[in-house]
Amino acid sequence: KMRSNQPSTASAGSCFKNPDGDYAGRLIEAVGLKGVMRGALCFSPQHANFLVNLGGGTYDEAIKLINLAIINVKKEFDIIIPIGKIV
């Protein structure tokens, strides 16, 4: 059963693992990426650690969003958020 703060639409689940002492979703939201889209993929407006496919999203779009999160979180907080499994 999905938690109420997790998207019920098609997603790959949590995109990043939580870094020590923090939460990936909080960090992604804090750098302003919650809801940000590339093509047909976006960081969920419900939970920023979920990549949501709005229909026809591509691997390249996913990689662009993943890289955007990694770069922005590193720049803002000097934290590297570890990538989870990509399915």
Side-chain angles (χ1 to χ4, degrees), residues 35-87:
V36 168
M37 295 182 69
R38 291 295 181 267
L41 287 173
C42 72
F43 285 110
S44 172
Q46 277 185 284
H47 191 306
N49 193 19
F50 283 73
L51 279 183
V52 175
N53 190 336
L54 302 173
T58 67
Y59 175 82
D60 287 339
E61 292 164 351
I63 295 301
K64 285 177 184 176
L65 285 171
I66 289 167
N67 285 333
L68 188 62
I70 291 169
I71 290 165
N72 287 343
V73 168
K74 172 68 173 152
K75 181 178 175 182
E76 180 73 21
F77 298 105
D78 198 28
I79 295 173
I80 296 174
I81 47 176
I83 299 172
K85 63 179 181 174
I86 298 178
V87 293

Side-chain angles (χ1 to χ4, degrees), residues 2-24:
M2 297 301 290
R3 293 184 213 160
S4 62
N5 70 333
Q6 295 177 345
S8 59
T9 55
S11 79
S14 293
C15 187
F16 295 96
K17 296 177 185 176
N18 291 326
D20 290 340
D22 213 333
Y23 297 95

